[in-house]
Amino acid sequence: MTSAPPLPFQISGAWWERQQRALVLTNGERQWVICRQCRARDKIWTGDILEHNWQLVEVGADFLTIRWLPQRHDQRLALGDMTFKPKF
C-alpha cells in the first residue's frame, strides 16, 4: 500500500469581513476561497472536492484538514499568521 502524497496546498492569504474569516488556498496553479458565508465567487467549504482526489474536511481555528480520498488519509495544514484578524 502506498502512502498518501504530501499536501500540494498552502495558504496564500486571508481577509475578514462581517466577523468572518476567508482564506485563500493555492496549489501554485489554482486558488480557492474558503469561507462559509462570504460572497466570493467559486468559494468552497467543508465537504467540497478541491482537485485530484483532495477534499476539504474541516476548517479549524488554526488549521485545515484535507483528505486524500483514495486512502481516506487526513492531513492538517497549519494556518500560521492567518489565524487572527490583524490589528492596525
Side-chain angles (χ1 to χ4, degrees):
M1 178 188 242
T2 60
S3 62
L7 282 173
F9 308 104
Q10 63 184 18
I11 297 295
S12 63
W15 75 88
W16 284 256
E17 186 175 326
R18 297 185 188 121
Q19 306 302 317
Q20 178 184 273
R21 176 184 61 185
L23 299 165
V24 180
L25 182 71
T26 185
N27 66 358
E29 296 176 11
R30 186 170 174 209
Q31 292 185 339
W32 299 266
V33 175
I34 300 172
C35 64
R36 185 179 302 205
Q37 298 174 350
C38 71
R39 297 176 190 256
R41 187 173 171 210
D42 299 327
K43 68 180 179 178
I44 61 169
W45 193 245
T46 57
D48 290 339
I49 302 296
L50 297 167
E51 68 166 24
H52 305 297
N53 295 316
W54 293 100
Q55 178 183 34
L56 179 63
V57 176
E58 180 182 6
V59 179
D62 59 353
F63 65 89
L64 300 177
T65 302
I66 300 174
R67 178 172 292 155
W68 173 246
L69 290 172
Q71 296 174 343
R72 299 192 55 78
H73 177 77
D74 292 350
Q75 298 181 56
R76 282 193 172 182
L77 177 62
L79 299 181
D81 293 342
M82 308 303 171
T83 303
F84 299 104
K85 183 177 182 177
K87 296 178 182 176
F88 295 103

